[in-house]
Amino acid sequence: MIASALFVAALAGIASAVPAPTTGTKRTDWTGELLGLLTKKKLTFGRDGTFKVVSFSDMHFGERWGNGSWAVWGPANDAMTQQVHATILDQEKPDYVVFNGDMMTGENVFADNATGYLDQCFAPTVQRKIPFSCTHGNHDNANNINHQKEIEYEQAHYSDLSYTRMDVGPQPWGVGNYWVPVFANEWDWAPAVIMWFFDSRSFTSGTGAGPGPVPDSANFYWIDENTVPAYIEGQSWLMKAIWGELPPSLVFVHIPFQKSDLLWQLGTPGDHDDEPDPASQGFINNTYTGLDQPAFDAILQLADGKDKVLAITSGHDHGESWCARSANSSGIPLCFDGHSGYGGYVTPNSMVRNGRVFNLKLSDLQAKDGPKVDTWNSYENKTINDKVTLGPDFMKSFL
Ligand SMILES: *[C@@H]1O[C@H](CO)[C@@H](O)[C@H](O)[C@H]1NC(C)=O
Ligand SMILES: *[C@@H]1O[C@H](CO)[C@@H](O)[C@H](O)[C@H]1NC(C)=O
Ligand SMILES: *[C@@H]1O[C@H](CO)[C@@H](O)[C@H](O)[C@H]1NC(C)=O
Ligand SMILES: *[C@@H]1O[C@H](CO)[C@@H](O)[C@H](O)[C@H]1NC(C)=O
Ligand SMILES: *[C@@H]1O[C@H](CO)[C@@H](O)[C@H](O)[C@H]1NC(C)=O
């Protein structure tokens, strides 16, 4: 405990040393956020040497059509989404759940009870006492709700199970950038794996900012290039300095990197119902700007030249549920979570709702030829599919 206190204090030091951003309103009290890790139960692998994560994307709670008929549509769908989560959680029995963005359809929610949809979203996971955290999506920013409000509510009401923080990023629509360590056992000083969570910002309608003028930076559709790369570099520099080497990483972000479009055509196992381009990071008015590249480059540094980024997994494109890598993703596997909600649009060949499972094993993470992890889709009809092992041998011939 004392060792990890020192470590977090040291990391907090480096976090607050990240240069202050120059434009917009940015979060500055990073130290306090990072120290919040100390109040959490240390996440550890089980005695069988596994730590299983389920990533649920695109729940879209609180949806309604226009005004009037939603009372039937919304609550009925939301109950089905809870059933999807309950079924998959009971099938997979994960150690951690990630809600990978679009928890709600924010443009449909009311100011006085928007966060009630977070309660509905988290309920199946909380009932099973499973630790969790969130990334936030473009539908989580609207007139009546934004990422910061959602995170503040989650931190205030779920402090026992939630690991979500806002270490860095533009306030209030892009603050959900943080990392969570998982240790082999209670006594280990260095984590066996780090889960990183990033905020891809944007909003679908409304302002994401509440009343008042909306700064241009509010509707950018990628991880903030001014604050987040420096944060990743600063944190990982200190991790290396303190632990001797970087642990393997597993990365979650709602909107996929644009590079996923270059992998889509490879047709790997999983649904391909919903070509990512232009619903991927870095587009403005359907033109690719390249502004998602700085965050991608910083994540690439986490690979440490040794394939240590196990995967970057995203939601957003409901009809996509594959993993792939090639030279076009600099060897980093990019995955999609599919669609776990009965809210949101549905594509014809991906009607059966699912979550994506990552079954982390200490023996795989410490494998001599480099870390690896098994991943698959787990469906509401109690089947699994599209199992692949991400690691040194995965799609080697495409590098
Ligand atoms: C329904 O929406 C229309 C169009 O936006 C609006 O004029 C009307 O006042 C709304 N009705 C109710 C009951 O909210
Ligand atoms: C929010 O308020 C509306 C209108 O009163 C209600 O119909 C809806 O169920 C509420 N939602 C939640 C999550 O409490
Ligand atoms: C995008 O298109 C809209 C509508 O044509 C225009 O108002 C806006 O200025 C454009 N934004 C950029 C950054 O080009
Ligand atoms: C369950 O859903 C998956 C995904 O759509 C499908 O491939 C499989 O055939 C279904 N299995 C059963 C038993 O319904
Ligand atoms: C990379 O993307 C380009 C453009 O889509 C494609 O022509 C090329 O085959 C891809 N290379 C690999 C290794 O996937």
Side-chain angles (χ1 to χ4, degrees):
M1 190 61 188
I2 287 169
S4 57
L6 281 173
F7 171 67
V8 173
L11 279 178
I14 198 85
S16 55
V18 171
T22 49
T23 54
T25 316
K26 303 284 162 80
R27 185 158 191 98
T28 51
D29 54 336
W30 305 323
T31 312
E33 282 289 316
L34 201 50
L35 287 174
L37 248 189
L38 281 184
T39 67
K40 304 292 171 194
K41 189 176 176 298
K42 191 169 177 178
L43 296 172
T44 57
F45 280 67
R47 258 182 284 180
D48 62 352
T50 68
F51 187 85
K52 192 191 262 187
V53 181
V54 170
S55 185
F56 288 128
S57 277
D58 297 278
M59 285 55 72
H60 287 273
F61 278 89
E63 202 152 74
R64 58 196 160 106
W65 289 124
N67 51 17
S69 62
W70 71 282
V72 178
W73 159 264
N77 277 291
D78 292 348
M80 289 197 282
T81 303
Q82 289 185 321
Q83 191 54 51
V84 171
H85 286 203
T87 302
I88 294 171
L89 295 176
D90 289 341
Q91 281 288 114
E92 299 290 347
K93 304 209 181 328
D95 301 290
Y96 197 85
V97 169
V98 178
F99 299 98
N100 206 5
D102 285 359
M103 272 67 78
M104 64 183 77
T105 295
E107 60 272 34
N108 281 184
V109 303
F110 300 94
D112 60 347
N113 68 2
T115 49
Y117 294 104
L118 290 181
D119 297 329
Q120 293 184 7
C121 180
F122 301 155
T125 296
V126 168
Q127 279 155 11
R128 288 162 181 78
K129 299 187 168 58
I130 305 169
F132 67 91
S133 64
C134 297
T135 74
H136 294 78
N138 46 309
H139 288 277
D140 294 309
N141 275 326
N143 277 338
N144 290 328
I145 193 73
N146 60 50
H147 294 183
Q148 183 173 347
K149 279 191 204 166
E150 288 195 25
I151 297 173
E152 281 167 356
Y153 181 84
E154 185 185 327
Q155 290 181 332
H157 292 83
Y158 295 95
S159 58
D160 50 340
L161 289 176
S162 159
Y163 287 73
T164 306
R165 300 195 309 273
M166 31 191 171
D167 287 358
V168 67
Q171 265 176 306
W173 42 76
V175 282
N177 301 290
Y178 61 101
W179 56 272
V180 172
V182 188
F183 297 84
N185 55 57
E186 281 291 328
W187 314 279
D188 259 15
W189 155 254
V193 66
I194 304 271
M195 298 185 286
W196 293 84
F197 303 87
F198 298 118
D199 192 324
S200 47
R201 306 185 289 175
S202 184
F203 48 81
T204 301
S205 68
T207 65
V214 191
D216 289 344
S217 64
N219 200 21
F220 287 166
Y221 203 78
W222 57 88
I223 298 169
D224 180 51
E225 76 280 20
N226 295 310
T227 54
V228 179
Y231 167 76
I232 298 171
E233 284 155 21
Q235 300 286 288
S236 57
W237 181 85
L238 200 71
M239 289 175 184
K240 240 178 165 167
I242 292 179
W243 293 322
E245 58 175 352
L246 276 175
S249 296
L250 187 57
V251 180
F252 301 85
V253 61
H254 178 69
I255 302 179
F257 280 101
Q258 186 268 345
K259 293 177 192 312
S260 62
D261 200 49
L262 304 173
L263 304 180
W264 183 81
Q265 51 196 295
L266 299 173
T268 50
D271 290 339
H272 288 70
D273 226 8
D274 201 4
E275 186 175 7
D277 183 0
S280 52
Q281 288 189 46
F283 283 84
I284 298 179
N285 286 348
N286 290 336
T287 303
Y288 181 58
T289 62
L291 285 166
D292 63 338
Q293 188 72 42
F296 190 88
D297 287 342
I299 292 169
L300 185 56
Q301 296 294 308
L302 298 176
D304 213 14
K306 292 176 211 144
D307 288 341
K308 282 193 184 177
V309 178
L310 297 163
I312 304 174
T313 194
S314 299
H316 192 57
D317 297 302
H318 300 181
E320 302 290 272
S321 63
W322 44 269
C323 291
R325 70 166 178 164
S326 84
N328 282 334
S329 63
S330 303
I332 295 183
L334 305 183
C335 297
F336 282 87
D337 293 339
H339 186 193
S340 79
Y342 269 80
Y345 72 90
V346 182
T347 62
N349 303 305
S350 55
M351 306 279 281
V352 185
R353 306 312 199 263
N354 75 292
R356 171 167 289 285
V357 178
F358 290 96
N359 194 26
L360 296 156
K361 291 186 199 141
L362 288 173
S363 53
D364 284 349
L365 293 173
Q366 293 154 5
K368 251 202 205 102
D369 53 342
K372 51 190 173 208
V373 63
D374 290 339
T375 183
W376 60 83
N377 290 313
S378 188
Y379 292 91
E380 60 177 321
N381 68 9
K382 303 186 183 176
T383 64
I384 68 167
N385 209 349
D386 313 320
K387 185 172 170 180
V388 289
T389 301
L390 309 177
D393 295 333
F394 179 64
M395 300 183 72
K396 212 174 181 172
S397 61
F398 292 85
L399 299 181

